[in-house]
Amino acid sequence: MVPVVMPTYARADLAFERGEGAYLFATDGRRFLDFGSGVAVTSLGHCHPKLVEALRAQAGKLWHCSNLYRVPGQEKVAAKLVANTFADTAFFCNSGAEAMECAIKMARKYHHASGNPQRNRIICAEGAFHGRTLATVAAGGQKKHMEGFDPVMDGFDHVPYGNLNALRDAITPQTAAILVEPVQGEGGIIPGDPDYLRRLRATADEFGLLLIFDEVQTGMGRTGSLFAHQQAGVTPDIMGVAKGLGGGFPVGACLATEAAARGMTAGTHGSTFGGNPLAMAAAEAVLDVMLEPGFMAGVQAKAQQLRTRLDTLCGRFPAVIELVRGQGLMIGLKARVPNTELQARLMANGLLTVGAGDNVVRLLPPLIIGETEMDEAIQILSRTLSEVSP
Ligand SMILES: *Cc1c(COP(=O)(O)O)cnc(C)c1O
């Protein structure tokens, strides 16, 4: 008999009842150090006092009113995002896939509004991940996500990630936009070279294309700056944001320049729940914490410290870990043993991680970790690598 919860996930037999900072407490009483953060979502840790207070206060006032009215929380969060990014305007939704759907629709609409409706194809990268809706699985291009869901949505062309020549060769009079993740997440924590990202910008400008960055996973401080592309000195025209934006409350956003959003007029797009007052209270609190002076510098310092320690540790186990890669607190350990096995061992020893493509174990600790959590993580990793070592 089918489980009452549809079995679309291969779940670990583990349930949690409480979270506090970087720790999760299971229903069986065990305590875990959470270096998965619900896949890069709870970036300020569990039950951050400022987030709890913001939600509590909003919960007693207003939960939902619909986008038929002005939502002051959206105006505040959008103003903060606009003030701290390339963007002029933001659309609020509830997830990463929806943020990317909006980005895809906006790119097509932009060319339609500019008198070039034939420009409706988007060049994407192999190994990409943009969500699980029909459009975003087509944009991701992964066979395992599309199998059995034919017909695949048309309008996406794929080239190898990091290869500018292949991308330029794929441009046709029908091309509307280029879409990449600044660091491929699900694909295996593969950082895009800053020079590659800058050349994507130049190429987009040369051919009149829009540049779309999917920062659903890399955004909100994960890589050591509010958004990853800011470190490469390049700006997109459109950007999808979600995961860390609400600190655990489901919320997404699609940011854009005024020019890129020119076609997105009243009636062109919508969402019943998108940007509701509860979501906006959470997002505003997250942004307030992350935009405090010194917060990102602190993340960078911690990331560097953790990375140095991981490089040293993993260097001692070349038979288990092939290499360490990533940016900021978005770190991948490319394993020589099955990543699922390594993850299970880490979990048994009290450390939660997330798998990724290319046999990678992802470390996505909350941005609020301190010396204690880093020490504990290194200790558990050290013990686990010794156990697994042949
Ligand atoms: C997780 C993710 C998505 C999809 O987000 P959902 O909230 O699961 O829809 C899209 N793009 C990237 C890069 C992601 O990591």
Side-chain angles (χ1 to χ4, degrees), residues 95-98 100 129-132 181 186 214 216-217 242-243:
S95 68
E98 282 174 88
M100 296 318 299
F129 183 79
H130 301 297
R132 296 297 203 115
E181 299 156 80
E186 306 298 313
D214 180 344
V216 169
Q217 188 163 160
K243 290 198 165 92

Side-chain angles (χ1 to χ4, degrees), residues 6 67 207 215 219-220 302 331 335 349:
M6 203 177 286
N67 287 307
F207 291 91
E215 291 240 22
M220 300 308 289
K302 281 182 269 195
I331 304 167
N349 288 332

